[in-house]
Structures are given as structure tokens and as C-alpha cells.
Amino acid sequence: LFKDGVNPTPDMAWTEAEKRQWKTSEIAPMGANINLILHECTDDTTNATSHKVGLRHNEYHIKWPRCGTATDVDFCSVADIKQAYPYSTGCNYDEICKKPVTPAPAPV
């Protein structure tokens, strides 16, 4: 996220510096947050179910970096996320956290 194509230099013009995406006062203010929103989608024709994930930074939808060929900029398929971030999707969270996973209670 917020990756600029050019590194800052001491002689960079102020107008160039203002256009940079990497601005810590905007990226990480006091109450910064990142949200992942999971959507279950059903195809009306085939009745097949798929999942897409939305990415928000400080309550604003942002496009997933490396999200395959997605046409919907706010959501990325789980398959595209697994392909783009294989090192992040194969974690054994039980081992990392040393806690058993407790299933969510059934809806009432």
C-alpha cells in the first residue's frame, strides 16, 4: 500500500513531494485502522458460491495491490488473494498463537 514509484531525494521539488502516496500523517494517524470485509457471493445463474474480500484503510475502500484481473476495485476474490500473497495464506495460526480455535456459536 502507498508505494511510490520514485524515492524521495533532497532536491525533490515541493510539488513532487506533495503528490507522494507515502504520507505518514495520513497513513498512520492516531486512530489508524485496516479492515477486511468478507462477502459471500452467489451467482444467480449457476447458484455457485464464491467469496470476495474488501480492503479498507481508515474507513476508505482501497484497491487491493496485486489483485489479479479483478474488475471490481473494491473487492478481490479469495483465489486472487491466495495467489498474490501465498506466504500469508499458509500460516498455521493455531501454532503461531498457541491457542485452540473456538468455533463461533450457532446463530439463534
Side-chain angles (χ1 to χ4, degrees), residues 9-10 17 23 50 53 57 75 101:
T9 60
K23 298 177 183 175
S50 64
V53 182
H57 174 259
F75 300 95
V101 175

Side-chain angles (χ1 to χ4, degrees), residues 29-52:
M30 180 70 84
N33 61 74
I34 293 178
N35 301 317
L36 300 173
I37 303 109
L38 178 65
H39 290 271
E40 184 176 84
C41 309
T42 304
D43 186 306
D44 292 335
T45 309
T46 64
N47 222 19
T49 301
S50 64
H51 292 90
K52 291 189 175 190

Side-chain angles (χ1 to χ4, degrees), residues 25-95:
S25 60
E26 293 178 18
I27 295 170
M30 180 70 84
N33 61 74
I34 293 178
N35 301 317
L36 300 173
I37 303 109
L38 178 65
H39 290 271
E40 184 176 84
C41 309
T42 304
D43 186 306
D44 292 335
T45 309
T46 64
N47 222 19
T49 301
S50 64
H51 292 90
K52 291 189 175 190
V53 182
L55 176 62
R56 291 172 40 164
H57 174 259
N58 293 337
E59 309 306 321
Y60 291 98
H61 284 283
I62 57 174
K63 185 180 183 328
W64 275 91
R66 298 185 279 169
C67 187
T69 59
T71 55
D72 186 346
V73 297
D74 287 339
F75 300 95
C76 189
S77 73
V78 171
D80 284 344
I81 293 170
K82 286 182 176 182
Q83 183 177 357
Y85 304 96
Y87 52 86
S88 298
T89 58
C91 295
N92 182 340
Y93 292 104
D94 291 338
E95 182 62 30

